[in-house]
Amino acid sequence: MNKKRVSLVLGSGGARGYAHIGVIEILEKKGYEIVSISGASMGALIGGLYGCGKLDEYRDWVLGLDAFDVAYLLDISFARGGIIEGEKVFKKLAEMTGDINIEDLPIKYTAVSTDIVRKKEVWFQQGNLLDAIRASIAIPSIFTPVTKEKMILVDGGALNPLPVAPTQSDLTDLTIGVNLYAKIPKPKVKTGKSEDIRKHNIEMAVRELFVNAKEERKFSMFDVLDKTFDTMQDALTRYRIAGYPPDIMINISMHVCNTFDFHKAAEVIEAGKMAAIEAIEEIKPIP
């Protein structure tokens, strides 16, 4: 039987996006051929790295990061509409991907961003891959926005956390969406990795590195941003799914981690694998 051709839609959700790595690994293992990817925010990042054949290298890198490693990658800036410039992270990504354009990828690829001037989605389907990803992941108030022509571009999830629409014209067997805001219990995962070196979350690491604050942790700016963005993304995801439902939805618990827990790659990737295996059982064989 021929491989099933899949259009894969990868949702936004900050660090929860590591689950996309696990989903892709399971889809490939089960014999699905991913020929098209549409993604917002972390979905655009993971999809782009997969498209240029560098996802394994990225996975190995993030699996080695603890909270303090992530904190050192944050180039703090309050000058251009966001706390983090993102230059350190993208320098590392550029070392992985090189200078590559979207139209040179072996699969169809769309990165979705949001233009806050025109209040519209922007679909990147050509041009520099990393530039498109950078525009798609610019979480408002966290990552500095991208200025392009007359547009000010921020996170694609601000308008479309699960961008199925760019895949509507694909000639594929299935459209599979990965929702990072499912209201389901947090899965119990075992990674075999010690928790000791990752006992602090990202905010505490930043506070200790840059503020040297040791007082008892309170409900902070990071908490407010995290919960606000979660609330917005959850509502928008349900709205978008109603308008453009994929054939199969792989649901990742919104409780698997917080938006900024980029030091939790191992357990989130494993959660993605578990969710993909469960969803695939519902897929009927294609003649």
Side-chain angles (χ1 to χ4, degrees):
M1 184 171 63
N2 294 329
K3 284 188 175 183
K4 306 171 187 66
R5 291 165 53 85
V6 168
S7 296
L8 185 60
V9 184
L10 303 178
S12 64
R16 299 178 189 89
Y18 285 145
H20 295 320
I21 299 173
V23 168
I24 289 172
E25 289 180 1
I26 294 300
L27 290 177
E28 289 196 318
K29 183 177 180 180
K30 296 295 184 179
Y32 293 88
E33 182 183 4
I34 300 168
V35 298
S36 172
I37 290 182
S38 174
S41 197
M42 273 292 283
L45 172 60
I46 299 301
L49 289 167
Y50 174 79
C52 65
K54 299 298 180 179
L55 188 56
D56 288 349
E57 184 178 346
Y58 176 79
R59 178 201 61 208
D60 292 344
W61 176 54
V62 298
L63 284 173
L65 300 176
D66 62 27
F68 288 95
D69 293 326
V70 175
Y72 277 118
L73 288 168
L74 306 183
D75 34 13
I76 305 299
S77 171
F78 296 93
R80 298 199 306 113
I83 299 172
I84 300 167
E85 288 283 354
E87 291 184 5
K88 291 181 181 179
V89 173
F90 273 82
K91 180 179 179 181
K92 179 64 178 181
L93 293 175
E95 292 174 2
M96 295 182 190
T97 65
D99 187 14
I100 186 169
N101 288 332
I102 294 171
E103 53 267 37
D104 296 326
L105 298 177
I107 64 172
K108 178 187 173 185
Y109 172 82
T110 304
V112 177
S113 184
T114 301
D115 176 12
I116 59 174
V117 175
R118 297 182 301 161
K119 300 178 177 61
K120 292 183 178 181
E121 292 177 39
V122 177
W123 294 1
F124 287 91
Q125 296 177 318
Q126 60 183 7
N128 184 269
L129 175 64
L130 287 183
D131 287 349
I133 293 172
R134 179 62 179 85
S136 186
I137 70 162
I139 300 174
S141 299
I142 300 298
F143 284 98
T144 54
V146 172
T147 302
K148 184 178 178 65
E149 298 171 356
K150 295 183 179 181
M151 300 181 292
I152 299 177
L153 301 169
V154 300
D155 196 298
L159 281 181
N160 196 347
L162 194 66
V164 178
T167 68
Q168 292 296 286
S169 62
D170 293 349
L171 299 176
T172 52
D173 299 311
L174 288 170
T175 298
I176 298 178
V178 185
N179 170 28
L180 301 180
Y181 285 94
K183 292 184 177 180
I184 57 179
K186 180 180 178 179
K188 296 180 180 179
V189 301
K190 294 182 179 180
T191 64
K193 186 174 183 179
S194 171
E195 295 293 326
D196 292 340
I197 63 172
R198 296 177 296 112
K199 62 184 178 181
H200 299 294
N201 64 22
I202 294 301
E203 183 205 345
M204 288 304 295
V206 172
R207 285 164 62 84
E208 291 185 19
L209 282 169
F210 297 103
V211 185
N212 196 30
K214 302 291 186 179
E215 71 272 14
E216 182 180 355
R217 183 176 183 271
K218 299 178 181 179
F219 198 72
S220 67
M221 180 186 72
F222 276 80
D223 294 313
V224 174
L225 288 171
D226 187 18
K227 299 307 178 186
T228 301
F229 207 65
D230 282 357
T231 301
M232 178 184 71
Q233 297 274 277
D234 174 45
L236 282 170
T237 297
R238 287 186 279 111
Y239 170 75
R240 290 293 185 169
I241 291 172
Y244 293 95
D247 298 310
I248 296 293
M249 183 67 78
I250 297 176
N251 287 306
I252 309 298
S253 171
M254 65 187 301
H255 306 296
V256 70
C257 71
N258 291 326
T259 302
F260 307 113
D261 285 344
F262 289 101
H263 56 300
K264 295 185 176 181
E267 51 261 56
V268 180
I269 290 172
E270 186 62 28
K273 290 181 180 180
M274 294 167 59
I277 291 170
E278 181 179 351
I280 284 173
E281 293 177 355
E282 303 175 8
I283 302 175
K284 296 180 180 179
I286 296 174

